[in-house]
Amino acid sequence: MAKGKMTATQRQYDEENSMSCGSWCEYVLVVVLSSLLLLASLVLVLFWTFYYRKGYSWSEDPAKQFNAHPTLMIAGFISLSGFSMLLYRISRCCRKIYVKLFHMIFHALAIPCVVLGFLAVFESKSFSDPPKPHFYSMHSWMGFVTMGLFVFQFVVGFFSFIILLCCEGATAAFRAALVPVHASFGVTTLMMAVATCLTGLTQKVYHDVGDEYSHFSEEGIIINALAMVLVALGIIVSYAVRRNSLHIPAKVLISERL
């Protein structure tokens, strides 16, 4: 009887340990894959700009000034925001207050990227000869929605982190109720950013690459690769944010396993 009970207990322990190991492997895979994709998106847009679009400039060269727009928008909306979301969701090596602080810092770093990216495309079109029209395309309309969501998210997060923490005990229930709303809008903002980037890349391809795109030109392949990285990021980061098993508790931290 005791032996049977011990066997059942051992089996239960093995099952729990196996699940924990599986969750840990999933955690490492998601962290590594998403980090590589976030870096790859930035590397690809930089390579595309320097190798095929002749680099960057400002108002003295409107064509090169425009090149700053996709780079800065991907850096802000995708790379920095993506790392911010991953850090908040799956980082358990620091106290929660520090995780929130770094989450806010990454989002704050994205703000100048977005602002400068917007100014780059606005001035580039304004200084072109002849000037090009503004805000007529689906891409620009989606961009405004994405920027609006981003501002809303940052204001809500800042308010929750800074203002409400001043009276932490009294606002605990409200902040807890705000978390799923903030997380859902965060995923929505990321997906909108990915969709906006894809429409922008499509618009850029047909304006600049032209007929060569249908003949599998090198530049077209690079742009397609960048687009696929963005799609993969939308999938993997959304999965990481919504997957409960990736919300690693303190008992499975690396430091406690070594």
Side-chain angles (χ1 to χ4, degrees), residues 58 68-81 106-122 143-151 154 189 193 196-197:
W58 203 245
H69 175 68
T71 304
L72 290 170
M73 289 303 189
I74 287 177
F77 277 130
I78 303 298
S79 297
L80 289 171
S81 295
F106 271 97
H107 272 300
L109 290 174
I111 293 175
C113 293
V114 173
V115 172
L116 290 174
F118 177 80
L119 289 176
V121 68
F122 185 84
F144 278 121
V145 174
T146 305
M147 287 190 288
L149 286 171
F150 181 85
V151 171
F154 186 82
T189 304
T196 305
C197 288

Side-chain angles (χ1 to χ4, degrees), residues 178-215:
L178 195 63
V179 168
V181 177
H182 186 62
S184 297
F185 271 97
V187 174
T188 302
T189 304
L190 178 68
M191 298 306 292
M192 278 297 301
V194 170
T196 305
C197 288
L198 294 179
T199 57
L201 291 174
T202 302
Q203 188 173 315
K204 185 70 172 174
V205 160
Y206 284 106
H207 282 176
D208 292 351
V209 181
D211 294 337
E212 293 183 7
Y213 182 59
S214 61
H215 295 90

Side-chain angles (χ1 to χ4, degrees), residues 139-160:
H139 170 68
S140 59
W141 287 30
M142 292 175 67
F144 278 121
V145 174
T146 305
M147 287 190 288
L149 286 171
F150 181 85
V151 171
F152 172 76
Q153 278 289 93
F154 186 82
V155 170
V156 170
F158 182 83
F159 177 75
S160 174

Side-chain angles (χ1 to χ4, degrees), residues 16-229:
E16 290 177 353
N17 189 57
S18 176
M19 290 176 64
S20 177
C21 181
S23 297
W24 181 250
C25 291
E26 180 187 14
Y27 171 80
V28 172
L29 178 63
V30 168
V31 169
V32 172
L33 182 58
S34 55
S35 298
L36 288 175
L37 288 172
L38 286 167
L39 292 174
S41 65
L42 199 54
V43 170
L44 278 173
V45 72
L46 287 170
F47 174 76
W48 169 46
T49 303
F50 279 110
Y51 193 81
Y52 294 102
R53 297 286 111 196
K54 301 179 181 179
Y56 303 96
S57 182
W58 203 245
S59 55
E60 63 273 9
D61 190 338
K64 290 184 179 180
Q65 183 181 17
F66 184 91
N67 294 340
H69 175 68
T71 304
L72 290 170
M73 289 303 189
I74 287 177
F77 277 130
I78 303 298
S79 297
L80 289 171
S81 295
F83 274 120
S84 176
M85 294 172 67
L86 285 173
L87 177 69
Y88 183 79
R89 181 57 177 169
I90 61 183
S91 175
R92 291 297 174 266
C93 59
C94 305
R95 292 179 58 190
K96 193 65 176 284
I97 187 70
Y98 297 140
V99 174
K100 288 183 177 181
L101 179 61
F102 282 114
H103 176 70
M104 188 177 69
I105 288 174
F106 271 97
H107 272 300
L109 290 174
I111 293 175
C113 293
V114 173
V115 172
L116 290 174
F118 177 80
L119 289 176
V121 68
F122 185 84
E123 291 190 1
S124 172
K125 290 187 174 184
S126 298
F127 295 152
S128 295
D129 188 19
K132 298 178 181 179
H134 296 287
F135 315 133
Y136 66 91
S137 66
M138 183 191 305
H139 170 68
S140 59
W141 287 30
M142 292 175 67
F144 278 121
V145 174
T146 305
M147 287 190 288
L149 286 171
F150 181 85
V151 171
F152 172 76
Q153 278 289 93
F154 186 82
V155 170
V156 170
F158 182 83
F159 177 75
S160 174
F161 178 71
I162 299 296
I163 307 300
L164 295 183
L165 279 182
C166 296
C167 44
E168 184 174 0
T171 61
F174 176 76
R175 286 185 289 110
L178 195 63
V179 168
V181 177
H182 186 62
S184 297
F185 271 97
V187 174
T188 302
T189 304
L190 178 68
M191 298 306 292
M192 278 297 301
V194 170
T196 305
C197 288
L198 294 179
T199 57
L201 291 174
T202 302
Q203 188 173 315
K204 185 70 172 174
V205 160
Y206 284 106
H207 282 176
D208 292 351
V209 181
D211 294 337
E212 293 183 7
Y213 182 59
S214 61
H215 295 90
F216 294 95
S217 65
E218 289 185 2
E219 184 176 5
I221 292 173
I222 294 297
I223 295 174
N224 285 353
L226 174 59
M228 292 303 100
V229 168

